[in-house]
Amino acid sequence: MSVEYPATLGMYIGGEWVSGGGRDHHSLLNPATGEMQAELPLASDADLHDALEVAKHGFATWRVEAPELRGAVLRKAAELLRERADHIARVTTMEQGKPLAEARGEVIAAAGLIDFHAGEAVRVYGRVLMRPTGMRSLVLHQPVGPVAAFCAWNFPALNVVRKIAPAVAAGCSVILKPSEETPGTAVEVMRCFQDAGLPGDVAQIVFGVPDMVSRRLLLSPITRKLSFTGSVPVGKHLMKLAADTVMKMTMELGGHAPVLVFDDCDLEKTLDILVGHKFRNAGQVCVAPTRFHVQEGIYEDFARGFAERTKQIKVCNGLSETSQMGPMANSRGREVLERLVSDARSSGARVLAGGVCGEGRGFFFQPTVIADVPENARAMNQEPFGPVALLSPFASVDDGIREANRLPFGLAAYCFTENGRRQNLLGDAIEAGMVMINQVRATWPDAPFGGVKESGFGSEDGPEGVAAHLVTKTVHVG
Ligand code: NAD
């Protein structure tokens, strides 16, 4: 086993780190080497029962705590995250694969997000409606209750913070099941909250067999909100479970982001921005640009420029200083890509770069560019969630918009054009929760992040992220 990776991984239940005790285990692999690096304890039914009872108690006390105190605890947690960023980034790279610089940037971004929520904790306002003869109505926003949260492995620090920080700011308690594939980062982030003074009954983390954990937490009347980040099929399944107790939900699901590149864009600049963004985190990003629809006049130049830049990307273990792209996080993601590339080839598409696995025992896949991908190729319809860029030409603005809106997903979309009137049209017409025009950044602490259509509903970040943890009550006073 590796000596650098945390030797013990535990669950945090009721303010105690628990492991061992005859619990089942999950073996954790390093994606860059394929070697086993730790064992993760999995929750028993008794653990989940305990966590629910603790969360019930934690909610009763935290909901009446002063918002200023909630904010102060969050601010301290952000400070600790920054102090420990180098260490946490190393853990992230060893379990998820992304290059160290990306991992460190993620931890710093997570700290910024916690700071934003610290400020929001004191900004939950209500309203007074004046009535005749001294009567009035009070509109109150109160914390919804204990939250059951589940998140994916692609941003092991940021995804965890997105579940804990808004719940804590709003006055809720939360039981989080992070991904069993990236537990080390979740544990380190949780330690920051613990060391910042967050009571052990307010935020807890458990690991386990996902289906067993979600059934136990979502079927309990204690849980009042489901917050999920992950794929569309699992999201639909959890929504059905949560329907039984009619709970509030935030669903951050998958996407298949279109990119519309128009003849009038600044081509070289657009290529520089897009190639870097496409292969960030080996393409395992829910808002990753994926379907590149390029206007006919610049299509061949765009394809050539994209492939040339892609071939320059240095792919190796994320711990190496020179790494620009690490391995994929797991072997199943790579197998999906192999099938999608093979299907695209057989439907007549041209592979301009990559298209094959990397060398060694790690889960490497070469950065891949495929041109002339027909609309009916599987990759054009199923989220690849990996380092694969799919290119196809379009003629008119209407054709581009039709193509962008063709799929049932609607998370992120990108447009590159210097025409201001067209920018406004695209911002209005594209069916996505986030539309980026001439730039690629989708995540800002004060801006809502979320999708439409099958990519989900309910935003994270921004004031909307805290509002999603509140219920509205009206009190009419005589
Ligand atoms: P997944 O849905 O299989 O898994 C995501 C998480 O859910 C994991 O932690 C997994 O353990 C857990 N999970 C799986 N089955 C579960 C169940 N029955 N009950 C409870 N939890 C369960 O997705 P994945 O393929 O591992 O992750 C990638 C997907 O997540 C992509 O579709 C990506 O677009 C999406 N994603 C969305 C966002 C967003 O903000 N919209 C962010 C990151 C990832």
Side-chain angles (χ1 to χ4, degrees):
M1 287 198 198
S2 163
V3 288
E4 288 182 90
Y5 193 79
T8 36
L9 291 168
M11 296 182 284
Y12 189 63
I13 300 175
E16 305 284 338
W17 289 97
V18 298
S19 60
R23 291 176 178 86
D24 287 343
H25 278 82
H26 168 77
S27 296
L28 209 79
L29 303 182
N30 181 327
T33 62
E35 287 166 6
M36 215 261 275
Q37 62 184 355
E39 298 243 309
L40 179 69
L42 303 180
S44 62
D45 191 65
D47 289 327
L48 299 172
H49 170 83
D50 290 350
L52 282 163
E53 290 300 322
V54 165
K56 184 176 168 185
H57 181 265
F59 175 57
T61 53
W62 193 244
R63 73 192 298 266
V64 293
E65 201 55 86
E68 292 81 357
L69 182 134
R70 291 185 213 144
V73 169
L74 286 169
R75 237 171 247 114
K76 180 68 185 168
E79 196 184 310
L80 294 174
L81 214 57
R82 286 192 187 93
E83 274 174 33
R84 302 175 189 178
D86 287 340
H87 168 68
I88 300 176
R90 231 178 144 72
V91 172
T92 299
T93 296
M94 293 184 74
E95 63 186 8
Q96 199 268 347
K98 66 180 66 175
L100 265 182
E102 274 187 43
R104 194 173 189 287
E106 181 187 336
V107 176
I108 298 300
L113 197 58
I114 299 177
D115 271 340
F116 172 79
H117 285 96
E120 287 304 290
V122 297
R123 289 188 209 115
V124 175
Y125 305 123
R127 194 155 98 240
V128 180
L129 307 173
M130 301 310 291
R131 306 290 184 211
T133 60
M135 292 165 63
R136 61 201 58 201
S137 300
L138 311 177
V139 182
L140 311 180
H141 299 296
Q142 299 184 313
V144 61
V147 180
F150 308 86
C151 62
W153 41 266
N154 60 339
F155 287 95
L158 207 52
N159 286 347
V160 164
V161 161
R162 276 199 167 128
K163 298 300 176 209
I164 295 179
V168 166
C172 297
S173 58
V174 52
I175 304 173
L176 169 65
K177 191 197 79 59
S179 168
E180 284 69 30
E181 289 170 313
T182 52
T185 309
V187 164
E188 295 299 327
V189 171
M190 190 66 235
R191 283 193 204 286
C192 293
F193 284 107
Q194 179 188 14
D195 295 345
L198 186 68
D201 55 5
V202 174
Q204 307 176 83
I205 53 176
V206 296
F207 299 102
V209 175
D211 189 51
M212 186 271 234
V213 178
S214 55
R215 279 179 199 277
R216 190 71 174 84
L217 298 186
L218 296 177
L219 296 180
S220 164
I222 292 174
T223 305
R224 295 312 310 141
K225 177 179 166 84
L226 158 65
S227 181
F228 176 69
T229 299
S231 64
V232 174
V234 174
K236 288 180 179 176
H237 166 68
L238 296 186
M239 284 166 69
K240 286 176 196 154
L241 285 183
D244 253 12
T245 53
V246 191
M247 65 179 68
K248 204 169 167 91
M249 299 181 201
T250 296
M251 306 303 290
E252 296 283 359
L253 309 181
H256 200 313
V259 187
L260 298 186
V261 184
F262 291 86
D263 282 348
D264 68 349
C265 76
D266 180 336
L267 183 58
E268 295 303 311
K269 192 171 151 203
T270 301
L271 283 166
D272 287 343
I273 296 174
L274 281 176
V275 174
H277 191 55
K278 169 69 230 177
F279 298 108
R280 183 173 67 113
N281 199 10
Q284 301 162 115
V285 181
C286 55
V287 295
T290 300
R291 295 176 285 142
F292 295 79
H293 302 294
V294 184
Q295 215 165 5
E296 288 166 342
I298 56 166
Y299 179 71
E300 284 303 332
D301 288 344
F302 183 93
R304 195 177 316 110
F306 206 105
E308 277 167 9
R309 284 166 175 77
T310 299
K311 287 176 187 163
Q312 306 300 318
I313 294 171
K314 168 91 172 142
V315 182
C316 61
N317 189 326
L319 290 179
S320 160
E321 293 274 314
T322 57
S323 176
Q324 291 175 307
M325 193 182 104
M328 295 189 68
N330 50 56
S331 59
R332 66 178 186 284
R334 194 170 67 161
E335 286 156 18
V336 169
L337 291 192
E338 284 185 287
R339 286 197 292 274
L340 292 180
V341 171
S342 153
D343 173 76
R345 271 187 216 274
S346 59
S347 51
R350 289 181 286 152
V351 177
L352 303 183
V356 289
C357 295
E359 289 165 12
R361 289 180 60 208
F363 311 138
F364 292 97
F365 196 86
Q366 292 298 328
T368 297
V369 183
I370 315 181
D372 309 343
V373 189
E375 192 178 292
N376 62 358
R378 279 177 58 200
M380 274 296 199
N381 298 280
Q382 171 189 338
E383 182 186 25
F385 214 58
V388 174
L390 310 165
L391 277 47
S392 80
F394 72 90
S396 69
V397 177
D398 285 348
D399 290 342
I401 293 174
R402 185 193 61 77
E403 198 49 56
N405 292 341
R406 183 177 59 86
L407 296 184
F409 314 111
L411 190 57
Y414 303 82
C415 308
F416 289 82
T417 174
E418 295 296 319
N419 182 321
R421 188 183 290 273
R422 188 182 296 152
Q423 290 173 3
N424 284 337
L425 170 70
L426 295 166
D428 288 346
I430 291 187
E431 297 164 358
M434 294 161 285
V435 180
M436 274 61 70
I437 298 179
N438 290 345
Q439 67 92 36
V440 288
R441 182 168 169 183
T443 307
W444 305 82
D446 58 354
F449 182 100
V452 296
K453 295 162 74 177
E454 291 194 18
S455 292
F457 52 83
S459 303
E460 296 190 311
D461 307 353
E464 288 83 353
V466 175
H469 291 76
L470 302 170
V471 284
T472 301
K473 178 192 279 180
T474 314
V475 180
H476 301 286
V477 185

